[in-house]
Amino acid sequence: MASSMESSLAAKGSDTIWDFSCDACNKNEAQFYCEGCSKCYCENCVILHNQLFNSHSLFGREQMEKWPIAKSTLDILEQCGEHSDEKIKLFCEDHSQLCCVICVVQHHRQVKCNQLFCGGYSNNYVF
């Protein structure tokens, strides 16, 4: 059934979206992740990879827990829940809340909210 769905999508000119694309050819769905290269490979490209880098550890789809987070998932995790066009950049220690720069201006300008952490650095902001 999936193949008939794919063929009907292709007939309509629709792009196929995968959770991981092959980093080598960017044409096929990735079936393997190489820990040494930090890259994903399709069934075709992994053959050449294995010829060149036979000592690298590969993980197939059955070991996806060892794969990195997909970029689309990471983008969703970094997105502000209130301001969808903004990425989470700061953490307000007083409110124990992740915030984007707009959230900081709108909700964290109180004098009591003065500990914001950005990329491992602590900044005291007094507005």
Side-chain angles (χ1 to χ4, degrees), residues 5-6 16 20 34 41 52 64 73-74 76 82 91 106 120:
M5 185 173 93
E6 287 175 7
T16 304
F20 288 94
C34 175
Y41 298 99
L52 297 172
M64 293 239 5
T73 304
L74 186 59
I76 291 168
E82 188 174 341
F91 177 77
Q106 290 180 344

Side-chain angles (χ1 to χ4, degrees), residues 96-107:
S96 297
Q97 188 176 14
L98 294 169
C99 1
C100 72
V101 292
I102 296 173
C103 286
V104 169
V105 172
Q106 290 180 344
H107 308 295

Side-chain angles (χ1 to χ4, degrees), residues 101-117:
V101 292
I102 296 173
C103 286
V104 169
V105 172
Q106 290 180 344
H107 308 295
H108 301 273
R109 293 188 65 155
Q110 300 87 4
V111 176
K112 67 177 184 167
C113 182
N114 62 6
Q115 287 291 315
L116 295 173
F117 292 91

Side-chain angles (χ1 to χ4, degrees), residues 15-34 38-43 45 61 64 67-72:
D15 291 333
T16 304
I17 299 172
W18 297 306
D19 53 351
F20 288 94
S21 294
C22 177
D23 289 317
C25 70
N26 290 317
K27 294 179 183 176
N28 300 315
E29 183 176 21
Q31 298 298 320
F32 300 93
Y33 171 71
C34 175
S38 298
K39 303 271 185 207
C40 296
Y41 298 99
C42 66
E43 302 238 348
C45 294
R61 289 247 169 208
M64 293 239 5
W67 288 39
I69 295 175
K71 175 148 178 34
S72 58

Side-chain angles (χ1 to χ4, degrees), residues 44-73:
N44 297 328
C45 294
V46 79
I47 295 168
L48 180 59
H49 171 273
N50 289 343
Q51 291 173 355
L52 297 172
F53 305 104
N54 59 4
S55 64
H56 285 192
S57 297
L58 290 175
F59 302 109
R61 289 247 169 208
E62 68 280 354
Q63 298 173 302
M64 293 239 5
E65 70 277 357
K66 295 182 179 178
W67 288 39
I69 295 175
K71 175 148 178 34
S72 58
T73 304

